[in-house]
């Protein structure tokens, strides 16, 4: 399949969300501008890592600018987005690698999500990530500081909304039960 580039600069909406019940959820990033809607699938750990790194990036931008950058310290109330994912949810591709940058000239966070592929390491090693020669499909989103904070808040809430952790081992508790390795299989 030929390379597709989905570029949202800026999107009307960029969120993380899920489909399915806890324990069997599929995680998505979804960008929308007007009638254009792009949904890409990824792992729960990728959503968590992306949200954490974006938060770190925003905090660093605020620190280095001495508070002069247009980045709020917390998510503005009017930027919150708790609505469900837009439908139809049609997976364009599964995310392999992601890049994150601060565009200082435009004062925007730039997130790039590349399609998973056999050549992920080769493309990164050759410096092709994001290059026109990179054969992988790409979702690129440019966000304001407020939109990026709102994305992080929602993404971290989506990750935390899954199955509760076992208080002893930290593994997820299933509704059908949980055999805790710290209890050697005995119920407490």
């Amino acid at each position: 399949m030929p390379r597709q580039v989905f570029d949202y600069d800026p999107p009307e909406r960029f969120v993380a969300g899920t489909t399915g019940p806890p324990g069997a959820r599929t995680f998505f990033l979804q960008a929308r501008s007007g009638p254009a809607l792009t949904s890409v699938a990824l792992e729960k750990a990728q959503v968590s890592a992306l949200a954490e790194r974006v938060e770190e990036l925003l905090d660093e931008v605020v620190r280095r600018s001495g508070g002069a950058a247009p980045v709020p310290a917390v998510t503005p109330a009017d930027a919150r987005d708790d609505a469900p994912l837009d439908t139809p949810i049609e997976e364009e591709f599964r995310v392999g690698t992601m890049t994150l940058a601060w565009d200082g000239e435009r004062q925007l966070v730039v997130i790039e999500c590349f399609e998973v592929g056999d050549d992920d390491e080769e493309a990164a090693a050759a410096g092709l990530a994001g290059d026109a020669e990179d054969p992988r499909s790409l979702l690129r989103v440019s966000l304001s500081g407020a939109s990026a904070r709102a994305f992080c808040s929602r993404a971290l809430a989506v990750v935390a909304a899954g199955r509760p952790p076992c208080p002893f081992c930290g593994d997820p508790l299933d509704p059908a039960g949980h055999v805790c390795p710290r209890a050697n299989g005995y119920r407490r």
Side-chain angles (χ1 to χ4, degrees), residues 120-143:
D120 281 351
E121 291 178 19
E122 293 173 23
L128 296 178
D131 196 333
E133 295 179 29
D134 190 342
R136 301 171 296 167
S137 290
L138 163 69
L139 168 64
R140 180 182 303 121
V141 180
S142 300
L143 302 170

Side-chain angles (χ1 to χ4, degrees), residues 1 4 6 8 19 26-31 35-41 85-94 139:
M1 187 161 87
Q4 295 179 291
F6 305 95
Y8 292 86
T19 60
T26 301
F27 287 79
F28 290 95
L29 294 178
Q30 194 174 71
L37 176 67
T38 303
S39 301
V40 296
L85 292 173
D86 291 328
T87 55
I89 302 170
E90 296 175 358
E91 178 182 323
E92 298 294 340
F93 60 86
R94 180 159 285 282
L139 168 64

Side-chain angles (χ1 to χ4, degrees), residues 7 87 114 119 124 134 139 151:
D7 199 359
T87 55
F114 294 90
D119 54 355
D134 190 342
L139 168 64
F151 167 78

Side-chain angles (χ1 to χ4, degrees), residues 48-183:
S48 179
L50 178 61
E52 290 168 6
R53 297 305 179 274
V54 170
E55 283 280 327
E56 290 172 8
L57 174 68
L58 294 172
D59 291 343
E60 184 66 15
V61 167
V62 169
R63 186 187 70 74
R64 286 190 182 193
S65 71
V71 176
V74 295
T75 303
D78 62 341
R80 295 193 67 83
D81 183 349
D82 296 322
L85 292 173
D86 291 328
T87 55
I89 302 170
E90 296 175 358
E91 178 182 323
E92 298 294 340
F93 60 86
R94 180 159 285 282
V95 174
T97 56
M98 296 180 281
T99 64
L100 176 63
W102 174 255
D103 182 342
E105 191 174 300
R106 297 175 52 216
Q107 304 282 315
L108 297 173
V109 173
V110 180
I111 299 170
E112 294 181 326
C113 301
F114 294 90
E115 180 179 23
V116 69
D118 297 335
D119 54 355
D120 281 351
E121 291 178 19
E122 293 173 23
L128 296 178
D131 196 333
E133 295 179 29
D134 190 342
R136 301 171 296 167
S137 290
L138 163 69
L139 168 64
R140 180 182 303 121
V141 180
S142 300
L143 302 170
S144 68
S147 295
R149 287 277 188 210
F151 167 78
C152 294
S153 296
R154 178 185 170 122
L156 293 173
V158 165
V159 168
R163 298 173 289 171
C166 172
F168 303 108
C169 69
D171 287 348
L173 292 173
D174 291 318
H178 169 70
V179 179
C180 181
R182 296 208 53 204

